[in-house]
Amino acid sequence: MNAEDEFLLLRRWSCLCLVACMIANVCVAQSGSSSSWKTNWERHSVDLSEIISGGVPKDGIPPIDQPKFVSTSSAASWIADREPVILLTIGDDERAYPLQIMTYHEIVNDNVGGKPVTITFCPLCYSAIVFQRELDGTVYDFGVSGMLRHSDLVMYDRQTESLWQQILGEAIVGDLTGKKLEPVPAQIVSFEQFRERYPEGKVLSRETGHSRPYGRNPYAGYDDISKRPFLYDGKYDERLPPMEKVITVSLGREDKAYPHSVSRRKRVINDVIDETPVVIFHGQGAATALGGAIIREAKEQGTTGVFKRTVGQKLLSFAYEDDAFRDKETGSLWDITGIAVSGPLKGSQLALVPHGNYFSFAWFAFKPGTHIYAMPEE
């Protein structure tokens, strides 16, 4: 059996053994007794019993610490147009991190636009989040602990080996407990959308130093709204099916979720969150990374974006017309990345708001007081 098959079998086994894991109670306290950890287990902000084994050991899913990049034209030979990538732009540095690679590594420690960042993706929650990894003057490097809490990735930093909850960006065990990482706005788009917007952009290379079957989905069929999540033993919010995707936003004191079943129908939602005017776009574009066994063959779920709907002092409202986003005030057309492509505001950029496209169970596990957007009566 080769390395790729061993990895797939291990990961699939871990996703199917929820009951066994719970009975065995493979918790952090046991891991803490291992000489492989230098974590301060005495300091924690959560019940240690909530943290369980994900079926792989520490660094069993290897992060990418020295990422290499290729051109969009080179990447086109191995990534399909509809495949999803994490789009990150800082200054003039534009990069794409394909989910076909992120699924097997979950963390990339990188420097983008001169800033140290960590790009993260938890397949079990569909949570793609970018964080600044400089905190209080120290640059931290992150790895995959092999543990989960509420089915979400538990990261660790190599400097103190504190444990961090990915969805919250918060240290929950160790010397850094209570510290929070600053999120960096990012967006999941299709490779085609990235290439059209940033033809000179960089794409994370498959040359990762590890042998993995990139392009194959080790979680085939997981992205099914009728299913239940793996390795999750928490409460379900009855307002939505646990595996329905929601566009998630936290601004100020308010958390809000926009079900894909609604946003796909409306395509554009003008809203206000904690007194901040925002617009939610849900256009055509990216396929899911967790559908079929081969990502390039997966069903299309669309591309979303959340933006502040102001340009200078002008407040805009948007509509979806003829497969395009148009503001009502100037008639300018905007693309899914929030850039005006024609009209009086051509070249203007809407400010991207940190957001996600999570499975609802995962978001509600950490944000139970979330308001759910409901489509107004027509």
Side-chain angles (χ1 to χ4, degrees), residues 69-369:
F69 293 86
V70 298
S71 66
T72 55
S73 58
S74 177
S77 66
W78 49 264
I79 184 169
D81 283 349
R82 296 188 313 121
E83 284 195 50
V85 303
I86 300 172
L87 164 61
L88 175 63
T89 65
I90 299 180
D92 295 328
D93 200 344
E94 301 116 3
R95 305 194 185 195
Y97 301 82
L99 292 194
Q100 64 159 264
I101 299 175
M102 295 299 300
T103 297
Y104 288 95
H105 296 280
E106 300 191 1
I107 294 175
V108 176
N109 294 300
D110 202 358
N111 287 276
V112 181
K115 296 184 178 181
V117 294
T118 186
I119 297 87
T120 70
F121 178 62
C122 177
L124 296 182
C125 297
Y126 218 86
S127 47
I129 313 174
V130 178
F131 299 104
Q132 295 183 28
R133 56 189 179 95
E134 182 173 355
L135 184 65
D136 298 331
T138 299
V139 176
Y140 292 92
D141 304 307
F142 290 88
V144 180
S145 71
M147 304 173 205
L148 300 169
R149 178 169 172 260
H150 301 326
S151 196
D152 180 49
L153 164 66
V154 174
M155 315 184 295
Y156 78 95
D157 69 80
R158 297 200 183 103
Q159 284 68 31
T160 73
E161 296 204 352
S162 297
L163 303 184
W164 298 74
Q165 191 76 62
Q166 184 240 10
I167 282 182
L168 299 177
E170 180 177 346
I172 56 175
V173 181
D175 291 336
L176 297 179
T177 294
K179 294 288 187 179
K180 292 186 177 182
L181 300 173
E182 185 70 24
V184 179
Q187 187 178 10
I188 296 178
V189 302
S190 72
F191 173 64
E192 181 179 35
Q193 289 166 332
F194 173 78
R195 182 178 57 189
E196 288 181 351
R197 172 48 53 200
Y198 302 109
E200 303 302 318
K202 304 172 185 176
V203 182
L204 181 65
S205 170
R206 280 177 159 184
E207 294 183 24
T208 63
H210 300 276
S211 178
R212 297 290 186 269
Y214 301 124
R216 291 173 58 187
N217 170 22
Y219 306 91
Y222 187 57
D223 197 349
D224 185 335
I225 197 171
S226 67
K227 291 189 175 181
R228 294 282 177 172
F230 294 131
L231 297 173
Y232 179 73
D233 195 36
K235 295 181 179 179
Y236 291 112
D237 190 311
E238 300 299 329
R239 293 177 293 174
L240 290 174
M243 296 298 287
E244 174 161 6
K245 284 213 179 82
V246 290
I247 303 169
T248 61
V249 188
S250 290
L251 284 174
R253 296 162 295 177
E254 187 173 359
D255 304 310
K256 201 155 188 179
Y258 302 82
H260 271 210
S261 57
V262 174
S263 60
R264 269 197 304 263
R265 288 174 58 193
K266 288 187 68 69
R267 295 298 187 183
V268 169
I269 299 173
N270 297 288
D271 206 357
V272 177
I273 302 177
D274 195 51
E275 301 183 353
T276 300
V278 299
V279 63
I280 290 81
F281 290 168
H282 194 151
Q284 298 178 351
T288 174
L290 303 180
I294 306 299
I295 295 176
R296 66 171 54 234
E297 299 174 359
K299 66 180 180 181
E300 192 251 5
Q301 66 176 8
T303 299
T304 69
V306 179
F307 306 92
K308 295 182 179 179
R309 51 187 175 96
T310 52
V311 175
Q313 300 300 312
K314 185 183 293 293
L315 175 64
L316 302 176
S317 55
F318 292 83
Y320 190 73
E321 302 173 359
D322 301 324
D323 297 327
F325 306 103
R326 184 187 300 274
D327 74 73
K328 299 177 182 178
E329 287 69 26
T330 75
S332 300
L333 289 179
W334 303 73
D335 73 6
I336 194 64
T337 67
I339 294 177
V341 295
S342 68
L345 295 180
K346 182 177 180 179
S348 298
Q349 171 74 68
L350 298 174
L352 182 65
V353 174
H355 65 282
N357 286 273
Y358 306 160
F359 295 122
S360 67
F361 84 87
W363 182 254
F364 292 143
F366 297 100
K367 303 282 189 175

